[in-house]
Amino acid sequence: MLATPDDLLAFDREHLWHPYTSMTSPTPVRLVTGASGVRLTLGDGSVLVDAMSSWWAAIHGYNHPVLNAALTAQAQDFSHVMFGGLTHEPAIRLAEKLVSLAPRGLEKVFLADSGSVSVEVALKMTLQHQRGQGRAERTRMLTVRGGYHGDTFGCMGVCDPVGGMHSMFASMLPEHVFAPRPPAAAAAAAAVEEWAAAFTALAREHAATLAGIIVEPLLQGAGGMHAYPAACLQVMRDVADELDLVLVFDEIATGFGRTGTLWAADAAGVSPDIMCVGKALTGGYLSLAAVLTTAEIGRGISASESGVLMHGPTYMGNPLACAVALASLELLTSGDWAARVPALEAGLAVGLAGARDLPGVHDVRTLGAVGVVQLDHPVDTVKAADAAAELGVWLRPFRDLIYTMPPYITDDDDLARICAAVTRAAEVA
Ligand SMILES: *Cc1c(COP(=O)(O)O)cnc(C)c1O
């Protein structure tokens, strides 16, 4: 009988895998019994301010009346129908909204069920487009070191080859081309020029076998929370144009205002040929992602031997997810994110400044509603999370990084509490 919170946690420990955990000695987990606004309620009755937005997705906070209403209204109509041969208003209206918000030229939409799947689809689109142009030998991607694009096999192949999972699955992964990681956002112009020269030379060297370029624009997330100069995006656009490469921006982490512009690509005024969005798309309610591309790529794919885009997941275009995504985008675009994100950035800069002088702290940086304290050693993640929880904050550090991506609705008091918890975690871990 699973009667008490302790019973539930004991079963969880024996039977459930959590992300990147051991089945034999799992790290402790906390039981959530409720979530509202920016707060999580736990099984022991304690309450934590969520500094993670549930992996960067819950931008409007939890239990939002508008999102709840969109979900329940759609559930009363119908929850799901297959997207093969059928269509529905939630998917159509969501696509219309995405196209209206997307960088110039991105007007064809594929709805996928998760970020990783959307990256798989973007890679497929890239290869099929090249085949459609009679360039079947172009099968590799050019990317930069330090990236993260998801956990499925196609995605792993373009993740950072050292920090990612290449060594474990080497024989299963295609060999893509890795350019140096772009310099840090604050780097001098000379460093950007040096990087641009290396990136361009590598692309030219491998052009005959390259199909496209894939990067996280402006901010590499799970690969190390590394922000880089917007000027690098223009370099990538120029290289793609020169060598007939498809430029893919993975905006799964950066999209929907997180870095201060609606799309990270907007910081450089660059339009990619393909863009992936996910994570915050549904405001953290359901798994949904989208791949947007141009009419030209759409035609290119259709010119390939199959004549069609070869993908079609069972739950493609799930109406519940589409309805809540549309409501989330309407909340976002009718709201004040464009003022809130810079306000959060300013609050994070002030609140985390004290961490700079702590022993063991290598760097403190902010970009939009992202605050990062990088240590000079791997974080003791359990110790760090416990120290934050003592101050009433939920943090989930990784590698050498203690960071926050708070919901946009976080107020000044809660943001100060988050900054105090990040700083405390950096002290003890
Ligand atoms: C999270 C993430 C993904 C993978 O998305 P999932 O929904 O977890 O499959 C891909 N790319 C980036 C940049 C991400 O941050």
Side-chain angles (χ1 to χ4, degrees):
M1 259 262 290
L2 301 177
T4 66
D6 283 346
D7 296 340
L8 293 167
L9 284 169
F11 188 93
D12 181 292
R13 194 177 168 80
E14 279 302 310
H15 296 281
L16 269 177
W17 255 298
H18 286 266
Y20 315 106
T21 52
S22 160
M23 188 43 78
T24 50
S25 63
T27 46
V29 293
R30 291 173 162 84
L31 181 70
V32 174
T33 56
S36 184
V38 300
R39 289 182 158 67
L40 308 174
T41 303
L42 304 186
D44 62 5
S46 61
V47 173
L48 301 180
V49 173
D50 180 11
M52 313 309 296
S53 300
S54 275
W55 269 340
W56 329 344
I59 53 177
H60 308 299
Y62 299 97
N63 212 348
H64 196 290
V66 172
L67 303 185
N68 290 0
L71 194 60
T72 49
Q74 184 56 42
Q76 269 146 24
D77 282 350
F78 58 97
S79 293
H80 185 70
V81 292
M82 63 191 284
F83 213 51
L86 301 175
T87 193
H88 47 78
E89 209 171 314
I92 296 164
R93 293 202 182 281
L94 174 61
E96 182 200 30
K97 185 76 174 172
L98 282 171
V99 169
S100 77
L101 296 176
R104 192 167 13 89
L106 298 174
E107 55 176 69
K108 309 289 182 189
V109 182
F110 186 98
L111 296 169
D113 16 15
S114 72
S116 298
V117 172
S118 77
V119 171
E120 298 284 346
V121 170
L123 296 174
K124 240 182 217 186
M125 285 180 171
T126 302
L127 263 62
Q128 281 199 254
H129 172 75
Q130 293 292 4
R131 294 185 78 90
Q133 310 309 297
R135 299 190 286 243
E137 69 290 351
R138 289 188 171 221
T139 56
R140 299 202 296 168
M141 300 299 289
L142 172 63
T143 184
V144 292
R145 290 181 180 270
Y148 176 80
H149 297 284
D151 287 350
T152 55
F153 273 92
C155 298
M156 280 196 294
V158 287
C159 288
D160 183 73
V162 180
M165 297 175 264
H166 284 246
S167 53
M168 214 176 302
F169 301 112
S171 64
M172 310 272 296
L173 297 179
E175 282 190 22
H176 296 298
V177 179
F178 291 89
R181 166 177 251 178
V192 177
E193 274 166 36
E194 194 182 318
W195 174 86
F199 183 86
T200 307
L202 194 67
R204 286 179 183 152
E205 181 190 339
H206 292 283
T209 60
L210 285 179
I213 299 171
I214 182 167
V215 293
E216 297 155 276
L218 211 60
L219 175 73
Q220 295 182 309
M225 309 303 285
H226 174 76
Y228 62 89
C232 298
L233 302 178
Q234 187 61 55
V235 173
M236 294 169 190
R237 181 70 270 175
D238 293 345
V239 166
D241 291 343
E242 177 193 323
L243 303 173
D244 286 323
L245 304 178
V246 176
L247 181 61
V248 182
F249 281 173
D250 176 349
E251 293 247 12
I252 292 168
T254 51
F256 309 113
R258 179 57 70 177
T259 63
T261 46
L262 187 61
W263 312 109
D266 293 347
V270 167
S271 276
D273 302 306
I274 298 178
M275 176 171 85
C276 296
V277 298
K279 287 203 163 88
L281 174 58
T282 62
Y285 268 56
L286 286 163
S287 183
L288 182 71
V291 192
L292 283 84
T293 190
T294 61
E296 186 192 345
I297 301 285
R299 276 194 302 275
I301 293 165
S302 302
S304 63
E305 59 274 48
S306 65
V308 299
L309 176 62
M310 294 300 278
H311 213 87
T314 306
Y315 280 92
M316 183 166 176
N318 176 256
L320 293 171
C322 289
V324 85
L326 178 61
S328 176
L329 293 185
E330 282 169 351
L331 266 185
L332 186 73
T333 52
S334 67
D336 63 348
W337 72 269
R340 275 312 294 157
V341 171
L344 290 168
E345 177 165 22
L348 288 167
V350 171
L352 297 178
R356 216 174 276 280
D357 301 323
L358 294 175
V361 168
H362 170 69
D363 187 34
V364 176
R365 49 188 184 264
T366 54
L367 173 68
V370 184
V372 183
V373 175
Q374 182 170 20
L375 306 184
D376 60 14
H377 56 273
V379 183
D380 181 331
T381 52
V382 175
K383 231 172 154 181
D386 287 349
E390 272 174 35
L391 296 184
V393 173
W394 169 236
L395 285 182
R396 170 105 179 146
F398 69 105
R399 290 199 216 161
D400 54 355
L401 301 164
I402 303 174
Y403 75 99
T404 174
M405 287 203 183
Y408 297 169
I409 61 163
T410 307
D411 68 20
D412 292 350
D413 286 350
D414 287 334
L415 193 68
R417 184 188 283 261
I418 287 171
C419 291
V422 170
T423 305
R424 179 81 189 123
E427 268 167 5
V428 304

